[in-house]
Amino acid sequence: MEVIRIDWHIFDECDLRDLDFSEKNLKGAHFIKVDARGAFFIKAQLQGANFEGADLRNTYFVNADLRNAHFQGADLRGAIFTSADLRGASFYDTISDEQTTWDNAQFGDLEPELVPQRTTDGIFPHYICSR
């Protein structure tokens, strides 16, 4: 039996200025309306993370996995996204400037991942759903 561990990371309206989250697994984390100015997310796993309304000025997302992340209303001025994977990410109503760095970042639609078929007590499910 395969056991899946689910960790919830919720940082809503927190002060995260200058903190180091580098190489952390923060998949699906919520950073809604946080102040994360100058924080480090270098090589962090942030797939599906929600940064809605976050202050991310001068934040480092170098080599971060931000697939399907949400940045709606976030302040990205001076943020560094060098070599970040931003496929499927949404940037509706964000603020950026000439200091925001996108060098070698990956953009575009995200190819759907194949969902492994699972059986339960020998019964094969008729419908396999994927997000």
Side-chain angles (χ1 to χ4, degrees), residues 24-89:
K24 301 289 185 213
N25 182 351
L26 297 166
K27 294 178 184 177
H30 287 254
F31 296 93
I32 298 174
K33 296 182 182 176
V34 299
D35 183 350
R37 289 175 286 168
F40 295 89
F41 292 94
I42 298 169
K43 296 183 180 178
Q45 300 298 313
L46 294 159
Q47 299 95 319
N50 190 338
F51 292 95
E52 184 176 330
D55 188 343
L56 302 172
R57 287 178 285 172
N58 303 312
T59 300
Y60 293 84
F61 291 102
V62 178
N63 290 312
D65 188 342
L66 290 154
R67 290 175 288 167
N68 292 323
H70 302 278
F71 291 93
Q72 181 175 348
D75 189 341
L76 305 176
R77 290 178 288 177
I80 310 295
F81 289 95
T82 301
S83 299
D85 188 345
L86 294 161
R87 292 175 293 157

